[in-house]
């Protein structure tokens, strides 16, 4: 994958305008994601009140399906519900659950904590609409938002069955030496944070940096997936360690040789498909417990 990117000489997203980066990001994800699987039904809708776009995937006509609320990645700046379409379809089929993809509002137009509260509102809607077991998940910034939502859900008394955090951002203050010019690197991370935060000190709030939360006790069982060649690897693995130390049933799974974004590259990378299968097995066990 790195060799392919070096040969293509594709520009880093942080070298583009936000509009250009959004277009290129979606195109590259679609190219690497593989052919989207058919599911029983896909319905585009909107959250009552806010009108935020949501997409509901169902693997069958059952009305009592458990639910995964999924948040796409893109550094809180890029992405739409189309970004996670292939992933949501596959997870819905593998888990046998409904999947709700959430079109939360993006930065820089909408700064922290807008996206966090949009995502939590979607979880509240799903809880009321489905009335069954609910899990949350997401990749990269979506993993960050899923982690933040679990903190809000715990404090608001909203029960969650599980969380799947795929190479999540967990700490604004984390440092990394990973600076490969052809891959997602420390400059990429800084670029996204610069769009997301209205002021740097907001980055140290626990809903922006869940690793800095005073307590992680009482959170739902977690699967944390990381990639070896990823500037977010160490902070994600530290978060998994803190979850475990706080009494949370936690599984940490590092994919050696992989880069940031591999989870959504199931069409190009066998490891991406395996990681999706691992996430599905974890969710199936906990949503049907």
């Amino acid at each position: 994958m790195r060799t392919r990117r070096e040969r293509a000489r594709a520009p880093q997203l942080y070298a583009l305008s936000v509009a250009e980066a959004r277009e290129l990001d979606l195109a590259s994800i679609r190219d690497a994601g593989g052919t989207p699987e058919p599911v029983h039904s896909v319905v585009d809708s909107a959250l009552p009140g806010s009108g935020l776009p949501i997409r509901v995937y169902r693997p069958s006509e059952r009305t009592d399906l458990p639910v995964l609320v999924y948040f796409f990645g893109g550094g809180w700046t890029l992405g739409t519900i189309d970004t996670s379409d292939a992933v949501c379809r596959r997870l819905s089929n593998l888990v046998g659950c409904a999947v709700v993809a959430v079109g939360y509002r993006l930065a820089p137009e909408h700064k922290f904590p807008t996206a966090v509260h949009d995502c939590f509102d979607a979880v509240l809607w799903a809880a009321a609409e489905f009335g069954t077991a609910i899990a949350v998940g997401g990749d990269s910034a979506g993993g960050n938002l899923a982690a933040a939502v679990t903190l809000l859900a715990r404090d608001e008394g909203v029960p969650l069955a599980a969380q799947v955090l795929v190479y999540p951002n967990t700490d604004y203050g984390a440092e990394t030496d990973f600076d490969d010019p052809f891959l997602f690197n420390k400059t990429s991370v800084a670029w996204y944070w610069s769009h997301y935060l209205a002021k740097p000190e907001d980055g140290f709030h626990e809903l922006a940096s869940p690793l800095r939360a005073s307590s992680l006790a009482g959170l739902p069982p977690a699967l944390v997936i990381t990639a070896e060649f990823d500037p977010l690897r160490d902070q994600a693995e530290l978060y998994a360690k803190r979850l475990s130390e706080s009494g949370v049933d936690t599984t940490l799974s590092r994919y050696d040789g992989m880069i940031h974004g591999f989870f959504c590259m199931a069409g190009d990378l066998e490891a991406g498909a395996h990681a999706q299968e691992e996430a599905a097995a974890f969710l199936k066990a906990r949503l049907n417990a």
Side-chain angles (χ1 to χ4, degrees), residues 19-279:
E20 290 169 335
R22 285 172 177 168
E23 183 177 357
L24 181 58
D25 177 66
L26 180 57
S28 63
I29 288 173
R30 282 175 164 166
D31 286 345
T35 303
E37 293 184 2
V39 293
H40 176 73
S41 67
V42 181
V43 177
D44 286 318
S45 187
L47 286 182
S50 68
L52 286 175
I54 55 173
R55 180 174 294 165
V56 181
Y57 303 81
R58 292 177 181 269
S60 72
E61 60 187 12
R62 280 179 49 194
T63 59
D64 60 343
L65 292 167
V67 183
L68 167 66
V69 184
Y70 195 86
F71 313 122
F72 57 81
W76 315 281
T77 305
L78 316 178
T80 72
I81 52 177
D82 291 327
T83 300
S84 59
D85 183 64
V87 168
C88 289
R89 287 170 177 269
R90 192 153 192 260
L91 291 178
S92 181
N93 284 333
L94 287 172
V95 180
C97 70
V99 178
V100 178
V102 183
Y104 58 86
R105 287 172 288 180
L106 299 176
E109 297 90 344
H110 303 280
K111 302 284 191 179
F112 169 82
T114 300
V116 178
H117 293 295
D118 286 349
C119 292
F120 186 55
D121 286 346
V123 168
L124 293 177
W125 173 83
E129 183 74 10
F130 289 87
T132 56
I134 295 178
V136 295
D139 57 281
S140 194
N144 166 275
L145 293 169
V149 163
T150 67
L151 295 172
L152 287 174
R154 177 196 62 188
D155 295 346
E156 296 293 328
V158 179
L160 295 176
Q163 55 179 319
V164 172
L165 312 179
V166 181
Y167 35 76
N169 311 62
T170 64
D171 185 11
Y172 170 62
E175 296 183 358
T176 178
D177 293 327
F178 190 81
D179 202 25
D180 191 305
F182 299 105
L183 299 176
F184 183 82
N185 57 41
K186 65 181 183 180
T187 305
S188 309
V189 177
W191 187 75
Y192 289 121
W193 278 115
S194 73
H195 289 303
Y196 187 44
L197 303 176
K199 52 187 184 298
E201 51 265 39
D202 287 346
F204 300 108
H205 192 287
E206 66 177 22
L207 296 182
S209 295
L211 187 59
R212 295 176 178 265
S214 58
S215 173
L216 300 181
L219 296 181
L223 170 64
V224 180
I225 291 175
T226 64
E228 181 181 8
F229 299 114
D230 183 355
L232 302 182
R233 186 196 69 194
D234 291 347
Q235 59 177 281
E237 294 182 357
L238 278 173
Y239 192 66
K241 183 174 184 288
R242 268 208 67 199
L243 284 169
S244 182
E245 291 172 346
S246 300
V248 177
D249 178 10
T250 304
T251 301
L252 171 62
S253 183
R254 180 195 288 186
Y255 281 74
D256 289 333
M258 288 299 103
I259 61 172
H260 188 86
F262 84 95
F263 186 80
C264 299
M265 300 178 186
D268 280 353
L269 297 174
E270 187 175 351
H274 286 169
Q276 291 177 13
E277 291 162 4
E278 180 180 18

